[in-house]
Amino acid sequence: AWRVGADDQLTQSILQWSFIDSRLIMLVFLPGLIFRDAIEVNFELFMLAFAQILIFALPMVLIGTFMTALFVMHVLPYDWSWSLSLTLGAILASTDPIAMTTVLKKNEASPRLKMHLNGESLLNDASAVVFYTIFSQQFLATLNIDGLGSDIGWAEGIEIFFRMSLGGVTAGLLFALGLIVILYELDRRLEQENNVLQVAAAVTVAYLCYYVAEMQFLMSGIVACVTCGILSSAYGKGLITDQKMMDSYLALLEHLLNTLLFTLGGVVFGETIANTDFRAHFGWKDWGYIVVLYLAVVLIRFVQVGIVYPVVSRIGLKSCWQEAIFFSYGGLRGAVGIALALTLDATV
């Protein structure tokens, strides 16, 4: 274990990564990860399945958040407050089925199942971050530190939800229009250097979209990025002169960001279990509780899908019980959950 106060380069590097600014974590990692998934969405299938995806992203996320919070509060022996339990529930509500979608592509699974998994991941990332923002502010307010947190009531919480979600959609729409105009201006098939400029423009707009919505206007940067990516895919994909270059670069960016994010998560977790003087000690019982929590989250996922299945199986693209079972098991947690956990850790 590294020692706090040591002056070797490895220790100092770990310390710098461990105490990285929470807002910087979100700004660096989320736009690149979200935009790539959004711009690859099949717009026609997305619109057909929109009602189902909306159910996955709102009622199902709330069900999972509250069920996880109840389990953490009443089963685990940490004596957490209701607001902190809800914050953890929101963190664990975000899914990232990248491993599952890779398996589905290799085995030529139905487009319907892939759309349900990808569509849910995109929108529930957005809703999970909105719920995390609300519940984490309530938790931070209980710490009684000046300038940290806010005691948000139900009415204010609902107002924040609609401001962040609808405002994010508006910001995403405006940036999507801007990106489409840029792609149109650079759509010159005989000038190969413009291919690189189109890729650079797409990445730049994704990060600007997130920054303006999240940091400047206190809207949901993820909702803005998702909206920008989906609309750009629907109306601007035909303007991309080298689709292979665009896909390859965005895939590389996503891979690098995922790798760095999970590495950072491992560094912070390693610091936690190293039992330094700055943190509560992590013992063998805690490992057991992690396994118990994991099993509970898997079970809660099956309950969530079971509750909404009678509705989603009859609307949109519909579904079947075999896909519902796979969908339940495919709700893995990933990059956004790690980013939110790191953000909370860096804040407190």
Side-chain angles (χ1 to χ4, degrees), residues 3-21:
R3 297 173 292 109
V4 176
D7 58 359
D8 59 277
Q9 292 183 353
L10 178 60
T11 300
Q12 294 304 315
S13 177
I14 291 174
L15 283 172
Q16 289 179 12
W17 278 107
S18 298
F19 299 121
I20 189 173
D21 183 79

Side-chain angles (χ1 to χ4, degrees), residues 24-145:
L24 183 60
I25 293 173
M26 305 283 279
L27 179 60
V28 169
F29 292 105
L30 293 188
L33 294 171
I34 296 296
F35 185 77
R36 194 257 172 155
D37 291 336
I39 204 169
E40 286 193 342
V41 165
N42 184 312
F43 184 72
E44 293 181 0
L45 280 180
F46 181 82
M47 293 309 298
L48 287 174
F50 185 72
Q52 294 170 299
I53 295 172
L54 208 58
I55 292 174
F56 296 149
L58 292 176
M60 206 165 90
V61 167
L62 274 177
I63 292 170
T65 298
F66 277 89
M67 290 183 68
T68 303
L70 288 171
F71 177 85
V72 169
M73 191 173 181
H74 296 291
V75 176
L76 299 185
Y78 296 118
D79 195 27
W80 283 6
S81 66
W82 179 234
S83 58
L84 178 57
S85 301
L86 284 172
T87 302
L88 177 62
I91 291 173
L92 294 177
S94 174
T95 60
D96 184 12
I98 184 170
M100 287 295 180
T101 53
T102 301
V103 172
L104 293 176
K105 288 179 181 179
K106 289 182 178 179
N107 292 277
E108 298 182 355
S110 69
R112 177 175 67 185
L113 180 57
K114 288 188 286 187
M115 175 51 62
H116 285 163
L117 281 167
N118 291 331
E120 182 214 9
S121 176
L122 282 173
L123 292 196
N124 93 350
D125 284 349
S127 59
V129 170
V130 173
F131 293 138
Y132 164 83
T133 301
I134 295 171
F135 297 140
S136 64
Q137 287 297 308
Q138 292 177 329
F139 162 65
L140 294 173
T142 64
L143 301 179
N144 297 320
I145 299 176

Side-chain angles (χ1 to χ4, degrees), residues 140-196:
L140 294 173
T142 64
L143 301 179
N144 297 320
I145 299 176
D146 290 339
L148 194 63
S150 175
D151 188 12
I152 299 174
W154 285 103
E156 187 181 358
I158 293 173
E159 185 271 330
I160 291 174
F161 175 81
F162 282 104
R163 170 173 56 80
M164 293 185 69
S165 55
L166 297 180
V169 170
T170 303
L173 172 62
L174 294 175
F175 275 93
L177 290 174
L179 178 57
I180 291 171
V181 170
I182 294 173
L183 293 176
Y184 175 79
E185 290 296 325
L186 296 174
D187 183 18
R188 300 187 180 96
R189 307 284 167 168
L190 298 180
E191 298 180 19
Q192 298 298 315
E193 63 272 12
N194 284 353
N195 300 347
V196 178

Side-chain angles (χ1 to χ4, degrees), residues 166-245:
L166 297 180
V169 170
T170 303
L173 172 62
L174 294 175
F175 275 93
L177 290 174
L179 178 57
I180 291 171
V181 170
I182 294 173
L183 293 176
Y184 175 79
E185 290 296 325
L186 296 174
D187 183 18
R188 300 187 180 96
R189 307 284 167 168
L190 298 180
E191 298 180 19
Q192 298 298 315
E193 63 272 12
N194 284 353
N195 300 347
V196 178
L197 293 178
Q198 285 190 331
V199 174
V203 176
T204 301
V205 169
Y207 276 88
L208 276 176
C209 179
Y210 182 92
Y211 174 78
V212 171
E214 185 82 19
M215 306 296 182
Q216 298 299 315
F217 294 101
L218 303 180
M219 301 170 184
S220 173
I222 290 187
V223 172
C225 269
V226 169
T227 304
C228 180
I230 291 176
L231 292 178
S232 299
S233 173
Y235 301 106
K237 213 161 193 177
L239 301 173
I240 299 174
T241 54
D242 192 337
Q243 187 65 53
K244 185 177 180 180
M245 177 186 287

